Amino acid sequence: MNAKESSGMRAAAAAMKSSNSETKSRLIVVSNRVALPGETSTGGLASAMSAALAESGGLWFGWSGKIGSVTGDVVHRVSNGQVDYVTIDLSRPDHEQFYTGFSNSALWPLFHYRPDLVNYRRKDLDGYLRINETFANKLFHLINPDDVVWIHDYHLIPLGSALRARGIKNRIGFFLHTPLPAAALLIALPKHRALFGSFASYDLVGVHTARDARALEDYFLHELGAAMRTKGRIRSPSGRVFQVGVFPISIDTEKVARLARDASQDVTVKNLKASMVDRSLVIGVDRLDYSKGLADRLRAFSAFLENNGNMQRKVTLLQITPPSRGTVPQYRQIRRELEREAGHINGKYATADWVPVRYVNQSFPHEVLAGYYRAAKVAIVTPLRDGMNLVAKEYVASQDPSDPGVLILSEFAGAAHELDGALLVNPNDIDEVVQALEKALRMSRSERLKRWRKMMAVLEKHDLTAWRRKFVDTLSSEPHSLP
Ligand code: GDG
């Protein structure tokens, strides 16, 4: 640690501790990317944690999103109301190995049931472990004895054990935003025992669905020789006991509904509606990612137009797809594939005054997005695998309560476990998706209302605040197994 870094960290630590000295315990959120105040965030984790911290206050620690000459050399600190943000830069080789490499070219495809896309390299794993150690070195100065630490997602699985190794005895929770595949897939990853075994350093590991929880329990029991205790507690061979829990993430339902209501005044939303007179809008909103099933979705839309000649010129698909992870080769490839597919459909069906697919590679402010959701008769959310999928929930919350639209939802999104008023489809079955589109566009108002009310009732009860409270309360009340 150089002098600048060390004094910077000490100053940041002292300031954090004193600015929060009146509060007994803070929430410390740690994630790879931090959504800084004023930034438009297009990821699910960022959307969820911004809202959670805005409500509870606390500290958010992670990567600044910037490339620096030396990882962690510069510490950025910003405060906004009751939330403090501390971020560090990553060097280019560390970004390449930790982020592009191991996190997004090995763990992400593995966790999304795509072993064929896993690109494992020993040096990426080394970089991944090294950055987790660096995060721990920076973070442990900032933790007060009563703080509750909440670590997020697949980039940071070993961070808990790295903090324990530095003497942190606080309650530490971990939440996995992706699915967790069956043990048979997890064991394909070299060194999987050391990596996944470190889940046991946490007090609580949260996942979105019962299927993900079963996968983790099964892995610990059958691959690591752990023993099951009551109430989802697992005793690892090291003797440490931790709990696995199901916590389906949600949205700020009331806020999304309000944004959607108010968006009718927004000029961008008015323009979209004006361009749709006498036509029905089908909307898709997804980060550009192979897990989202976008190519199959476009093919299904094409087949729908082919089978339903009378719907041509009557329906438009607005597919909003902000690019993500452009440094990973597979993401560049899927981008080219989607451009080709969208161009193909438009070339085949477009007329002088109608384009069937509006494929938009840009992101929009949340209030505009909410207005777009409300303007759409149908949302098509057909990931091949998705931890939860917040877009599905946002679409439901954005609807006009007197004339709601229809949600078509993949059964492989975690959201399908809660949103059973949707038309559930297997996204691998193009005919099924085509039939769902036909059914959605013809659905009577009374059936739409019935389905929507059922889903909205779930989202009103289980919103983002309920999710955060349930996780933090469970973590805080867990019997503490000391490291
Ligand atoms: C991961 C998991 C899990 C999208 N386009 C724009 C925009 N977005 C926002 C949406 C939504 C979020 O990004 C996307 O969240 P998802 O949940 O749909 O998907 P991932 O990014 O893959 O999220 C996922 C999630 O983490 C939470 O645990 O549900 O399974 O993969 O909030 O609104 N936001 C803005 N402009 C856009 O153009 N402002």
Side-chain angles (χ1 to χ4, degrees):
M1 200 187 275
N2 63 33
K4 180 170 82 181
E5 179 189 26
S6 142
S7 67
M9 283 313 293
R10 272 200 303 272
M16 294 293 134
K17 288 186 182 194
S18 71
S19 76
N20 289 282
S21 55
E22 70 283 2
T23 50
K24 219 164 84 35
S25 108
R26 295 175 305 171
L27 179 62
I28 298 191
V29 170
V30 190
S31 59
N32 171 53
R33 276 308 306 274
V34 174
L36 293 168
E39 270 184 11
T40 295
S41 49
T42 53
L45 187 157
S47 309
M49 293 326 294
S50 302
L53 270 174
E55 201 219 23
S56 71
L59 168 68
W60 194 347
F61 179 88
W63 175 39
S64 61
K66 298 194 183 89
I67 302 292
S69 48
V70 179
T71 295
D73 198 25
V74 181
V75 178
H76 309 273
R77 184 175 174 237
V78 181
S79 285
N80 185 26
Q82 47 170 1
V83 186
D84 296 309
Y85 302 81
V86 180
T87 56
I88 59 171
D89 300 346
L90 292 180
S91 72
R92 192 161 299 285
D94 284 344
H95 178 264
E96 164 64 29
Q97 291 161 19
F98 159 76
Y99 179 77
T100 304
F102 194 71
S103 297
N104 286 315
S105 303
L107 287 179
W108 178 272
L110 181 72
F111 285 1
H112 287 83
Y113 295 70
R114 293 297 302 270
D116 56 314
L117 296 181
V118 171
N119 182 9
Y120 169 83
R121 295 187 309 179
R122 172 73 71 87
K123 89 171 187 287
D124 291 344
L125 173 60
D126 292 344
Y128 176 86
L129 297 173
R130 192 172 60 245
I131 292 305
N132 273 273
E133 292 290 322
T134 307
F135 266 45
N137 280 336
K138 302 291 174 190
L139 184 61
F140 88 97
H141 297 284
L142 303 175
I143 301 175
N144 292 329
D146 291 323
D147 291 341
V148 170
V149 182
W150 190 2
I151 296 169
H152 290 262
D153 230 2
Y154 60 100
H155 315 84
L156 301 175
I157 294 169
L159 183 55
S161 73
L163 287 172
R164 297 283 183 225
R166 285 158 182 78
I168 294 295
K169 298 193 166 50
N170 300 49
R171 288 174 197 276
I172 312 181
F174 180 89
F175 190 81
L176 184 67
H177 290 258
T178 67
L180 194 74
L185 276 181
L186 293 178
I187 60 172
L189 188 75
K191 317 264 183 229
H192 64 90
R193 286 192 181 81
L195 179 61
F196 300 137
S198 63
F199 278 126
S201 310
Y202 295 101
D203 297 293
L204 175 64
V205 176
V207 289
H208 288 303
T209 69
R211 182 186 286 140
D212 304 319
R214 278 198 305 274
L216 188 59
E217 287 165 5
D218 184 56
Y219 175 84
F220 263 85
L221 265 47
H222 298 110
E223 298 300 330
L224 298 186
M228 202 65 200
R229 294 284 179 264
T230 50
K231 287 202 185 159
R233 292 199 177 80
I234 296 175
R235 188 173 195 283
S236 79
S238 70
R240 209 168 180 285
V241 177
F242 72 107
Q243 188 181 357
V244 178
V246 177
F247 302 88
I249 198 169
S250 197
I251 54 167
D252 186 341
T253 310
E254 208 183 296
K255 182 174 163 203
V256 174
R258 192 181 60 245
L259 284 180
R261 247 189 342 261
D262 296 349
S264 56
Q265 301 311 318
D266 184 285
V267 69
T268 332
V269 176
K270 280 185 179 164
N271 287 345
L272 173 67
K273 284 194 197 151
S275 74
M276 292 301 302
V277 177
D278 293 334
R279 287 190 180 125
S280 299
L281 179 66
V282 176
I283 195 168
V285 178
D286 311 76
R287 270 186 317 99
L288 208 168
D289 195 299
Y290 49 79
S291 66
K292 303 292 182 183
L294 293 164
D296 288 332
R297 183 183 309 170
L298 289 180
R299 284 192 273 273
F301 189 65
S302 179
F304 163 80
L305 293 175
E306 188 65 42
N307 296 358
N308 296 273
N310 60 331
M311 297 299 260
Q312 290 178 20
R313 306 186 68 243
K314 297 268 174 242
V315 183
T316 295
L317 169 63
L318 171 61
Q319 179 60 54
I320 295 176
T321 306
S324 70
R325 304 176 194 167
T327 52
V328 182
Q330 285 132 355
Y331 286 73
R332 293 200 292 271
Q333 193 184 324
I334 174 92
R335 185 169 184 170
R336 283 193 295 272
E337 187 185 346
L338 294 174
E339 279 163 4
R340 213 173 31 242
E341 198 66 48
H344 212 69
I345 301 172
N346 286 341
K348 187 165 176 191
Y349 298 102
T351 57
D353 63 346
W354 170 68
V355 177
V357 180
R358 298 183 189 174
Y359 176 60
V360 184
N361 272 153
Q362 87 185 55
S363 66
F364 294 89
H366 275 120
E367 47 279 20
V368 173
L369 212 52
Y372 285 177
Y373 288 139
R374 194 174 175 109
K377 289 247 174 315
V378 178
I380 181 156
V381 183
T382 49
L384 303 174
R385 291 283 165 181
D386 217 332
M388 173 54 60
N389 197 293
L390 295 178
V391 166
K393 293 188 169 183
E394 290 164 359
Y395 176 75
V396 171
S398 299
Q399 294 311 294
D400 176 349
S402 64
D403 189 19
V406 182
L407 174 64
I408 297 177
L409 179 60
S410 162
E411 61 187 83
F412 304 125
H417 295 255
E418 294 168 281
L419 302 182
D420 57 357
L423 294 179
L424 294 180
V425 294
N426 181 333
N428 301 306
D429 185 345
I430 286 189
D431 293 330
E432 196 175 309
V433 178
V434 170
Q435 280 165 9
L437 276 166
E438 291 165 355
K439 183 169 177 183
L441 286 161
R442 290 201 194 103
M443 193 178 284
S444 68
R445 189 163 158 271
S446 64
E447 183 172 352
R448 282 187 279 122
L449 276 169
K450 198 170 92 200
R451 288 172 175 273
W452 176 77
R453 283 189 186 128
K454 207 166 147 194
M455 296 190 281
M456 195 58 181
V458 172
L459 296 181
E460 276 164 350
K461 188 158 174 228
H462 301 287
D463 66 359
L464 186 64
T465 302
W467 172 76
R468 177 184 61 77
R469 286 198 182 137
K470 193 169 164 220
F471 187 93
V472 175
D473 289 353
T474 310
L475 176 57
S476 309
S477 60
E478 233 343 72
H480 199 35
S481 171
L482 284 177

